[in-house]
Amino acid sequence: MTETEQGRWDLSVLYKGFDDPAFAADITRLEELMAGYRRQVHEREGLDAAALAALLACEEEMWRIGADLQKFTEMRREADAGDSQAVDAMGRLKAVFGGIAGETALVRRWMGELKLTEEDWTAYPILADYRFYIQEEAEKGRHLLDAPAERLLARMQGCAGSTWTDLRGYLTSFARAPIDGEQRTLTELRGLSHHPDRAVRKAAFEAELVCSRSIEGGMCFALNSIKEQMNLMAELRGYGDIMTMTLAQCRMQPRTLQALLEAIEDALPSFHAYLRRKADLLGWKNGLPWYDLCAGLGEAGRRFDTTEEVRVYLTELLGAFTPELGRLVDRAFRERWIDFYPRPGKSGGAFCRNLSNQRQSRVLTNFSGDLDGVMTIAHELGHAYHGSLIEDHRPLNRTYTMPVAETASNFNEILVMDAALSRAQGAERLHLLEQRLQDDTQIICDIYSRFLFERAVFHERKEGFLLPQRLCELMAGAQTTAYGDGLDPQCLHPYMWINKVHYYYTTLSFYNFPYAFGALLASGLYTRYQQEGERFAERYRAFLRATTVSTVEDAAALAGIDVTRRDFWEESLTAIVQRIDEFLVLTKQR
């Protein structure tokens, strides 16, 4: 098998293709299950324990089949935006999934009225297993509309919010701009942000702006429509505002987010000091231009020419934490879970899909051969490890929220970078340290800027339509606040609202602060690991397993952490500030 072939993921564990008889059979089976579910609901006027147990058993089976159909279709589309079969299949699945929205909404409303006794929990094991899930769904049920309205909203989703999301994916996958006489996609241009030649980085950045400007109209309508829809959903469901709805979806208390944001705001001056020093080293007097944010310092470390080199490297480093993690990493490479290399039509960035029915995962990345790309793979395999620890939960108990979703991935990054730094000296150590600070700055400054931008967009969208110019103004303002004088105010990235897919989700808004939450929680967990050694691994496993059946606060408590306290977040940020201090010392005489 060639390196190119080895670098493509294998999805046959799900289906061999859209013409696979198993794909059609599963859609038929799902439709049959949904028809049966609808009949069960319509035969009733309320719930008792026995009826709820039967309905949850049916929902489990629908989840098993529906998850495979949806994930296969999504991954085919993400790997090739021009895959017409995937686009057609996604449209059909949206219609199928929307077919029971009214009934599931009614069941959730009934859940909110049902008073289960201890005898009920004992008599029906499925209810006991789903105790947390039932309580959570009952609370959601209090925010649902009546069944006909929920059914209409679900059907509208297929030609409203999610379609705008699809438009964003299509436009960004095929938008191109010239650089050095060659047309490059947005993903390819973004990939040049780490190029060692400043002239290339600058040219790529300028081409990226041209590319973004060429699709700003369609992207502007997509973003406005999605934010209007989400504002409307928060209002109709009685949450009052979008942030309250988001925190409920995240299973997080408002005071937890407030503690996180306050700690970040207090730490920003340290990040600004790092950026100013880096600007000085690169010869800039007014802060860094955007295209030099990812400029490397010192001497770059090794490059990875094959996926086999990456496998050996990550298996060793991650396996040192726990052999269980090392075995999963090795398996991911050997069983072709990973789609490595960029190509036209392929989605930018990286993600992991947990295939819990198959006890596997799949990872998409755009690997370029450097350590940063290896870190991205380690990050996504953290999601895979997290998925492996919850795959033996019952199907409806396998969903974790975004804040904790980014913890295992960031923990993996810390493991890899800490090991790499411990082996490096001199110019290579400076390079790795600065590379780590680049990532830290993304997690803190950039994520904070995204949060500020999205909050502003939601607020202004209530008053009217935001044209591209206004969106660019809001983005530049958010970047100025978050990066301070560390960035050149004449060279920001006002079109970053086009690059980040998270703004275009209709399932969860503010898909930004969870990255800072996960990174800093991982930093705190790593500190505990350094203090406790090997015995910490079991506490870490217990925390990850609990993330699907607990609130954020209760899951973290299993690892000995109180995330509602500002001092925890300050402690987590201390590790980053110490890296900044070391960087400032190392570069003082340069």
Side-chain angles (χ1 to χ4, degrees), residues 331-362:
R331 184 183 174 203
F333 281 81
R334 295 191 183 281
E335 296 182 8
R336 293 177 57 208
W337 292 7
I338 308 171
D339 196 298
F340 286 91
Y341 300 110
R343 57 182 177 272
K346 180 178 175 180
S347 175
F351 65 76
C352 175
R353 293 280 188 275
N354 293 325
L355 311 181
S356 57
N357 294 336
Q358 291 74 28
R359 295 181 177 269
Q360 299 182 23
S361 292
R362 289 297 181 272

Side-chain angles (χ1 to χ4, degrees), residues 482-552:
Y483 287 93
D485 59 2
L487 280 187
D488 182 347
Q490 302 304 313
C491 191
L492 303 176
H493 196 324
Y495 281 104
M496 191 54 69
W497 56 274
I498 284 179
N499 272 310
K500 298 303 176 184
V501 65
H502 311 99
Y503 298 131
Y504 299 81
Y505 287 165
T506 58
T507 51
L508 180 68
S509 301
F510 291 101
Y511 199 134
N512 35 57
F513 72 78
Y515 283 95
F517 183 101
L520 293 178
L521 179 55
S523 178
L525 289 167
Y526 188 72
T527 298
R528 301 297 193 276
Y529 169 51
Q530 291 176 307
Q531 296 168 350
E532 300 178 21
E534 293 181 2
R535 60 193 176 96
F536 173 77
E538 190 51 45
R539 296 180 71 182
Y540 180 63
R541 292 179 84 259
F543 155 71
L544 291 178
R545 281 185 54 78
T547 54
T548 61
V549 291
S550 305
T551 64
V552 165

Side-chain angles (χ1 to χ4, degrees), residues 19-194:
D19 55 354
D20 185 342
F23 186 86
D26 275 355
I27 290 184
T28 299
R29 176 58 180 155
L30 182 60
E31 291 173 332
E32 292 171 350
L33 286 167
M34 288 181 170
Y37 184 86
R38 285 193 292 270
R39 283 194 299 271
Q40 289 186 64
V41 174
H42 293 161
E43 289 170 358
R44 310 195 59 83
E45 295 182 357
L47 280 183
D48 57 22
L52 179 56
L55 287 169
L56 288 177
C58 185
E59 287 188 23
E60 279 190 332
E61 189 61 22
M62 289 190 292
W63 190 97
R64 287 191 184 96
I65 297 173
D68 286 353
L69 290 168
Q70 184 171 19
K71 289 176 182 179
F72 177 77
T73 303
E74 286 178 345
M75 288 189 290
R76 279 283 299 262
R77 187 184 60 182
E78 293 286 359
D80 181 2
D83 189 333
S84 59
Q85 288 183 302
V87 173
D88 290 343
M90 184 56 69
R92 182 179 179 186
L93 287 176
K94 287 176 182 176
V96 173
F97 293 146
I100 59 166
E103 287 73 22
T104 56
L106 184 57
V107 170
R108 268 64 190 165
R109 292 174 68 89
W110 286 342
M111 282 186 189
E113 301 167 357
L114 182 62
K115 306 297 183 183
L116 294 171
T117 67
E118 289 302 321
E119 289 75 16
D120 292 328
W121 299 115
T122 301
Y124 299 95
I126 190 172
L127 298 186
D129 291 342
Y130 281 128
R131 190 165 190 157
F132 177 82
Y133 177 81
I134 291 169
Q135 293 169 344
E136 184 178 41
E137 292 299 296
E139 178 58 30
K140 291 179 184 176
R142 299 183 183 98
H143 292 278
L144 294 176
L145 309 180
D146 59 31
E150 288 294 337
R151 188 178 299 111
L152 176 61
L153 288 175
R155 294 186 66 181
M156 288 291 292
Q157 176 72 357
C159 57
S162 62
T163 305
W164 290 112
T165 305
D166 293 343
L167 173 64
R168 184 265 169 200
Y170 183 85
L171 290 175
T172 56
S173 292
F174 289 100
R176 287 173 170 78
I179 178 174
D180 293 334
E182 182 180 353
Q183 294 288 326
R184 300 287 189 96
T185 66
L186 265 176
T187 299
E188 292 171 322
L189 293 170
R190 292 288 296 159
L192 293 173
S193 64
H194 291 85

